[in-house]
C-alpha cells in the first residue's frame, strides 16, 4: 500500500514534472518572445534616438540659417533704405537742375529779345548815320557850289541852317531793358 501510494505519488510527481516542463517551455518561449520584443524595441528606440538627434541637428542648422537670413534681411533693408535716400537726393537734384535749366532758357529768350531790339536799334542808327553822311556830303557840295557861284557868307549860313532843320532827323534814343539772368 505504501508502495502503491509511492507509485501514485511518483506518477503524480512525473505528471507534475511534465506539466512544469511544459509550463517552463511555454514560459521560455514567452520569455524568448518578450526578449525579442525588447531587442526590437531597443533597435526601434535607437532609430528614434538617431532620428531625434538628426532632427535636433537639422533644427539647430535651420536656426543658424534663420539667424543668418534675419541678419541678411536687416542688412538688405539698410541697403534698400540707403538706396531710397540716394534716389530721393538724385530726384531733388534733378528737379533743381530742371528748374535751373528752365530759368536759364527763359533768360536766354529774354536775352535774345534784347539782342533783337539792339540789332534793330543799331540798324536804325546805321541808317540815320548813312543819311547824315549823305546829307553832310550834299551840304559840302552845296557849299562848294555856292562859294564857286560867289554867294556871300550870310546867304550860305541861312541856306545851311534851313537845310539842317529840315534834312536830318535826330537819332532815336535806345530803350534799355533790364534782363534777369
Amino acid at each position: 500500500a505504501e508502495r502503491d501510494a509511492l507509485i501514485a505519488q511518483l506518477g503524480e510527481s512525473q505528471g507534475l514534472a511534465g506539466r512544469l516542463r511544459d509550463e517552463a517551455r511555454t514560459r521560455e518561449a514567452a520569455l524568448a518572445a518578450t526578449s525579442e520584443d525588447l531587442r526590437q524595441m531597443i533597435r526601434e528606440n535607437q532609430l528614434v534616438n538617431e532620428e531625434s538627434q538628426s532632427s535636433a541637428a537639422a533644427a539647430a542648422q535651420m536656426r543658424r540659417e534663420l539667424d543668418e537670413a534675419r541678419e541678411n534681411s536687416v542688412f538688405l533693408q539698410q541697403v534698400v533704405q540707403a538706396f531710397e535716400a540716394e534716389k530721393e537726393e538724385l530726384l531733388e537734384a534733378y528737379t533743381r537742375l530742371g528748374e535751373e535749366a528752365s530759368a536759364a532758357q527763359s533768360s536766354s529768350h529774354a536775352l535774345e529779345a534784347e539782342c533783337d531790339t539792339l540789332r534793330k536799334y543799331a540798324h536804325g542808327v546805321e541808317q540815320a548815320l548813312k543819311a547824315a553822311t549823305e546829307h553832310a556830303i550834299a551840304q559840302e557840295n552845296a557849299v562848294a557850289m555856292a562859294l564857286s557861284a560867289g554867294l556871300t557868307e550870310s546867304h550860305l549860313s541861312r541856306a545851311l541852317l534851313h537845310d539842317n532843320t529840315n534834312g536830318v532827323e535826330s537819332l532815336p534814343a535806345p530803350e534799355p531793358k533790364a534782363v534777369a539772368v
Side-chain angles (χ1 to χ4, degrees), residues 1 32 39 45 49 56 62 64 70 108 122 139 144 154 162 166:
R39 280 192 291 276
N45 193 22
N49 281 341
M62 286 180 172
R64 285 190 297 273
R70 283 182 183 146
S108 172
Q139 276 187 342
S154 67
H162 174 67
N166 292 328

Side-chain angles (χ1 to χ4, degrees), residues 150-170:
L151 285 177
T152 64
E153 199 173 299
S154 67
H155 286 95
L156 186 56
S157 292
R158 273 187 293 193
L160 287 177
L161 180 63
H162 174 67
D163 207 22
N164 279 338
T165 56
N166 292 328
V168 179
E169 297 178 2
S170 61

